[in-house]
Amino acid sequence: MGDLQRAEQQDEHPDDPTAGLPPTAWAVLGLLSFPGERTGYELKKWADSSLRFFYWSPAISQIYSELRRLEARGYATSRRSGPDEPRTKRAYTITAEGRAALDHWAGPGHDPGAPVLKHPLLLRVWLGHLSEPERLRTLVHEHIARTRAELTEVREALARAEGVEAWGHPQIALRWSERRLVGEVEQAEAMLGDLAGLGEAAGREEL
Amino acid sequence: MGDLQRAEQQDEHPDDPTAGLPPTAWAVLGLLSFPGERTGYELKKWADSSLRFFYWSPAISQIYSELRRLEARGYATSRRSGPDEPRTKRAYTITAEGRAALDHWAGPGHDPGAPVLKHPLLLRVWLGHLSEPERLRTLVHEHIARTRAELTEVREALARAEGVEAWGHPQIALRWSERRLVGEVEQAEAMLGDLAGLGEAAGREEL
DNA sequence: CAGCGCATGTAATCTGTTACATGATTAG
DNA sequence: CTAATCATGTAACAGATTACATGCGCTG
């Protein structure tokens, strides 16, 4: 919106410890805030199986670099796998400073910001005058199929989360995602109706 | 998903004229595909008032650079305002090549790609163990208010589009956005219920 | 004439992806 | 033994934003 002239300064006080980290860093640190230590690779899988439903999944290389950055800031520490474990891997743990920073980030006086949606299908529909009506309908059907597939993935994730102690909030996020995807299918179906309506109107004119 | 190892090659044939342009460029070119010429500034306002509801609004400086790129490719031409008009402005028009490229982009054999959602509120809910329950509920309420405000904006845009000839597809996209925002409010309200459920469970344990 | 909105653009920077390199372990 | 998967990283690049600079025209 209003960035025609000015950036709308998310007024960060100069000593705001929340400043200077992109949302991805907070997401990664958030992943670490659950009990236990984990490697970049594990984090990526976690992100793929839950974060991505409401907040996209960063590339693995980015996760590695965010982890290094968090460690540089003292928000996390890492440990190479000992000789007991077979593999050369590096596991990260959140530090007390990291927790404090996260708490501050989650605290009041800090607006989460508006959601961003990039929906390529809708871009295509919006420019629908460029496509064959048939083509457009196919795209919408494919989208419905893709969304249904995602829905079963969410439900699987939900089943896995069911009953795990202290996972209340992640579960709520997954339930939200489930409802959202159900809505997405309904909205796509409604749009199919609208598209048919357009076709009819055009058809009538041709008579 | 699958980008742990490999990029999932959107197999672009080497001579695909669709290749080499980011989605934003197509969105801008799409904006130009509607009759008439327009300036970067106008494009930005257009994007803010409709594109952004389903496909985010690029920064004004990016619009300017995309326009220059499109012109360099021969997909658009520009014209400085004549002495008749008061202001020094540059208006862009799509060329025949631009239309051809857009048609190809919109054509078959070219997957629009999956929608991307970045929902900071859900990131916060997901990490809800870091916040006071009260704080979380406030955030959700603020989000509902913001969404309702957006909803009236969509409806205004829809009212403006109503009746304009040949705006059928943009209208459909706006109607989709309207339904989506209605869903967003419902889902946020449902989540409020889930959050209350968590609180109750915790409350019971404390008895 | 001061200030705001219109209008265009450049430079620096940051975020994030893709491609590539490397090696170890495990399943068939 | 070989292929797949695990695991970590680097380098180059692309996409996008922010900050900054500039100037005109209109309104009060």
Side-chain angles (χ1 to χ4, degrees):
Chain A
M1 301 198 83
D3 64 341
L4 269 170
Q5 296 303 322
R6 94 203 55 263
E8 40 214 65
Q9 298 270 48
Q10 161 107 289
D11 85 303
E12 286 172 350
H13 317 159
D15 57 349
D16 184 348
T18 269
L21 282 184
T24 307
W26 297 111
V28 170
L29 194 55
L31 250 352
L32 290 179
S33 79
F34 293 92
E37 55 172 18
R38 32 189 80 63
T39 67
Y41 200 85
E42 288 167 339
L43 251 24
K44 171 62 175 162
K45 285 191 299 181
W46 238 88
D48 279 345
S49 71
S50 65
L51 233 209
R52 78 161 222 274
F53 294 118
F54 45 87
Y55 201 84
W56 119 108
S57 194
I60 179 73
S61 65
Q62 201 192 348
I63 290 183
Y64 284 122
S65 49
E66 292 297 354
L67 284 171
R68 283 191 290 270
R69 164 155 53 179
L70 291 173
E71 189 167 31
R73 297 229 177 177
Y75 291 173
T77 40
S78 71
R79 174 182 84 77
R80 293 209 73 101
S81 57
D84 50 318
E85 273 163 294
R87 225 173 260 286
T88 65
K89 60 172 89 171
R90 183 175 290 274
Y92 289 82
T93 317
I94 192 169
T95 62
E97 296 82 55
R99 275 190 199 282
L102 247 190
D103 281 346
H104 182 267
W105 170 81
H110 185 245
D111 181 47
V116 175
L117 176 65
K118 265 195 190 188
H119 207 309
L121 173 67
L122 263 115
L123 187 58
R124 295 279 278 258
V125 168
W126 185 63
L127 297 173
H129 61 288
L130 301 169
S131 300
E132 300 286 334
E134 185 47 34
R135 169 79 184 138
L136 229 44
R137 264 173 269 135
T138 305
L139 287 177
V140 178
H141 277 121
E142 284 169 2
H143 176 244
I144 291 175
R146 223 193 296 122
T147 308
R148 290 217 170 101
E150 257 192 286
L151 196 46
T152 73
E153 285 180 71
V154 171
R155 283 171 177 157
E156 282 162 13
L158 212 36
R160 282 193 301 274
E162 211 79 38
V164 179
E165 300 296 319
W167 281 31
H169 288 106
Q171 263 180 67
I172 290 180
L174 284 174
R175 274 204 281 276
W176 180 91
S177 303
E178 189 192 359
R179 293 193 196 102
R180 210 217 105 222
L181 290 170
V182 169
E184 182 92 14
V185 170
E186 287 169 4
Q187 284 140 28
E189 278 163 353
M191 188 161 66
L192 237 24
D194 284 356
L195 287 170
L198 251 197
E200 263 173 51
R204 268 204 310 282
E205 273 168 41
E206 275 166 27
L207 292 182
Chain B
M1 312 189 80
D3 65 340
L4 269 172
Q5 295 304 323
R6 94 205 55 266
E8 41 215 70
Q9 297 269 49
Q10 161 106 287
D11 87 304
E12 285 171 348
H13 316 160
D15 58 346
D16 183 349
T18 268
L21 281 183
T24 308
W26 297 111
V28 169
L29 194 55
L31 249 351
L32 289 179
S33 78
F34 293 91
E37 55 172 20
R38 35 190 76 65
T39 67
Y41 200 86
E42 287 166 340
L43 251 24
K44 171 63 176 161
K45 285 191 296 182
W46 239 85
D48 279 345
S49 71
S50 64
L51 232 209
R52 79 161 222 274
F53 294 118
F54 46 87
Y55 203 86
W56 119 106
S57 193
I60 178 73
S61 64
Q62 200 192 348
I63 290 183
Y64 284 123
S65 47
E66 292 296 355
L67 285 171
R68 282 191 292 270
R69 162 155 54 178
L70 291 172
E71 190 167 29
R73 298 230 175 175
Y75 291 173
T77 39
S78 73
R79 173 182 84 77
R80 293 209 73 100
S81 57
D84 49 319
E85 273 162 294
R87 223 171 261 283
T88 65
K89 61 173 87 169
R90 184 175 290 274
Y92 288 82
T93 318
I94 192 170
T95 63
E97 296 82 55
R99 276 189 198 283
L102 248 189
D103 281 346
H104 183 268
W105 169 82
H110 185 246
D111 180 50
V116 175
L117 175 65
K118 264 195 191 190
H119 207 308
L121 173 67
L122 262 114
L123 187 58
R124 296 281 277 258
V125 169
W126 186 65
L127 298 173
H129 61 287
L130 301 169
S131 299
E132 300 285 334
E134 184 49 34
R135 170 76 183 140
L136 229 45
R137 264 174 267 135
T138 306
L139 286 177
V140 179
H141 277 121
E142 283 170 4
H143 175 244
I144 290 175
R146 223 192 298 120
T147 307
R148 289 220 170 98
E150 256 192 287
L151 196 46
T152 73
E153 285 179 71
V154 171
R155 283 171 176 157
E156 282 163 15
L158 212 36
R160 283 194 300 274
E162 210 76 41
V164 179
E165 300 298 320
W167 280 32
H169 289 105
Q171 262 179 70
I172 290 179
L174 284 174
R175 274 205 281 275
W176 180 90
S177 304
E178 189 192 0
R179 292 192 197 105
R180 209 216 107 222
L181 290 170
V182 169
E184 181 92 16
V185 170
E186 287 168 2
Q187 285 140 28
E189 278 164 353
M191 186 160 66
L192 238 24
D194 284 355
L195 287 170
L198 252 199
E200 261 173 51
R204 266 203 311 280
E205 275 168 41
E206 276 167 26
L207 291 182

